[in-house]
Amino acid sequence: MTYAIAEREAPPARDGRIRIHAPEDFAGMRAAGRLAASCLDMIADHVAPGVSTAALDDLIREFVLDHGALSATIGYRGYRHASCISVNHVICHGIPSDKTLKNGDILNIDVTVIVDGWHGDTSRMFFAGDPKVKARRLVEKTYESMMAGIAAVKPGATLRDVGAAIQHIAESAGFSVVRDFCGHGLGRVFHDAPNVVHYGSYRDRFVGLQQAPAIELKPGMFFTIEPMINDGKPDIRMLRDGWTAVTRDKSLSAQFEHSVGVTEDGCEIFTRSPAGRNAPPYV
């Protein structure tokens, strides 16, 4: 893996190199991350049984436009919505629709905004009404897993350390870590190097023990940490729409996501909630 000093105007696609951003670039990521987090703060008051995911997406689109920003997902590879909303057994990339939420549903809402060329990417879990105890525990442990991964971010550590911290919390609670999706670098590029997997190692029945990449973390790296944790097995199934990923065994799935930057002595979370609404219940 190679590293590169981030250009002021980065190319529109990843080139395989990990960008090292300058100290002044943190300000751009703070602004984008704060707006993305504020958007999720706003939508928390609208998640309820009887509300459609399309209605929630409309509110998100209006919020982003009203704040002079752009939605990174609208037009991305043909996608037409300002958010991904994944309900219950949907792991990620759920497409907003007219289907309404039911009491006890859990859902992930994922938004990415562009502010002055910088990407703020974040997601949180939400409750529609009163979910069951096991669903609440899954959501709690998923948030705990993400924060454990973030706590492992510091110069000299590796992405394997981050994944191992996440995996330990999730599997100790009896849950599984999805291995088919990962976090990613970002900045002026939406999806950039490196890939951030959410495990330290796992045993594949065909090829044996698989280790996560031991990529060294350096100040100036920007990336997302966004573990997807399943109540059942980690296996996924893709729907015919080409976007939606669901659990193969139809078990519940949860996800949280923060955008972070590696600092000289740790990391900075760009997408922390300004209102303190980092995890449900949002009261």
Side-chain angles (χ1 to χ4, degrees):
M1 180 61 66
T2 59
Y3 298 81
I5 301 300
E7 302 170 15
R8 300 306 302 171
E9 294 296 333
R14 62 190 297 168
D15 58 12
R17 298 182 300 172
I18 298 173
R19 302 178 203 279
I20 303 300
H21 296 84
E24 56 266 27
D25 293 339
F26 278 73
M29 289 298 291
R30 289 184 194 115
R34 183 178 180 86
L35 182 62
S38 296
C39 183
L40 294 184
D41 286 346
M42 175 277 298
I43 207 66
D45 295 325
H46 300 276
V47 176
V51 176
S52 73
T53 54
L56 296 175
D57 185 69
D58 287 341
L59 290 170
I60 290 168
R61 179 187 292 105
E62 292 171 4
F63 180 92
V64 174
L65 292 175
D66 288 347
H67 286 79
L70 298 173
S71 170
T73 55
I74 296 178
Y76 180 77
R77 296 183 178 178
Y79 196 75
R80 302 190 301 174
H81 304 277
S83 64
C84 293
I85 302 180
S86 304
V87 183
N88 293 332
H89 72 292
V90 178
I91 296 171
C92 61
H93 304 155
I95 301 174
S97 71
D98 292 331
K99 187 175 181 179
T100 58
L101 298 172
K102 297 180 176 62
N103 183 54
D105 284 345
I106 63 172
L107 58 150
N108 176 272
I109 301 180
D110 189 342
V111 300
T112 305
V113 303
I114 306 174
V115 178
D116 294 330
W118 296 98
H119 291 76
D121 190 0
T122 186
S123 78
R124 294 179 209 159
M125 293 300 295
F126 297 83
F127 298 154
D130 188 22
K132 294 181 179 179
V133 171
K134 194 170 186 179
R136 287 179 179 270
R137 184 169 179 269
L138 172 65
V139 170
E140 291 169 356
K141 287 298 178 180
T142 302
Y143 180 74
E144 186 179 339
S145 296
M146 177 188 66
M147 295 308 295
I150 291 173
V153 176
K154 60 182 178 180
T158 69
L159 287 179
R160 185 183 297 168
D161 297 329
V162 174
I166 292 168
Q167 184 178 18
H168 174 72
I169 297 296
E171 293 184 354
S172 295
F175 302 124
S176 64
V177 180
V178 172
R179 299 189 288 267
D180 296 81
F181 298 98
C182 61
H184 53 88
L186 83 169
R188 291 186 175 274
V189 179
F190 187 1
H191 292 109
D192 209 354
N195 291 334
V196 181
V197 299
H198 303 114
Y199 58 86
S201 63
Y202 73 94
R203 190 165 295 281
D204 185 283
R205 62 183 178 136
F206 298 109
V207 294
L209 186 67
Q210 296 294 291
Q211 295 283 347
I215 296 172
E216 183 180 354
L217 302 180
K218 298 183 178 183
M221 290 173 61
F222 298 161
F223 51 84
T224 68
I225 296 177
E226 47 182 300
M228 287 142 275
I229 309 299
N230 292 350
D231 180 32
K233 296 181 179 179
D235 308 288
I236 77 160
R237 181 170 66 88
M238 292 299 300
L239 299 189
R240 291 181 180 179
D241 59 32
W243 287 100
T244 309
V246 301
T247 55
R248 183 170 290 277
D249 59 9
K250 299 183 179 180
S251 62
L252 292 177
S253 186
Q255 179 187 21
F256 283 89
E257 175 183 15
H258 270 317
S259 296
V260 305
V262 184
T263 64
E264 294 294 334
D265 57 359
C267 81
E268 178 177 346
I269 301 175
F270 298 125
T271 47
R272 195 185 296 275
S273 166
R277 291 178 152 188
N278 290 295
Y282 302 114
V283 295

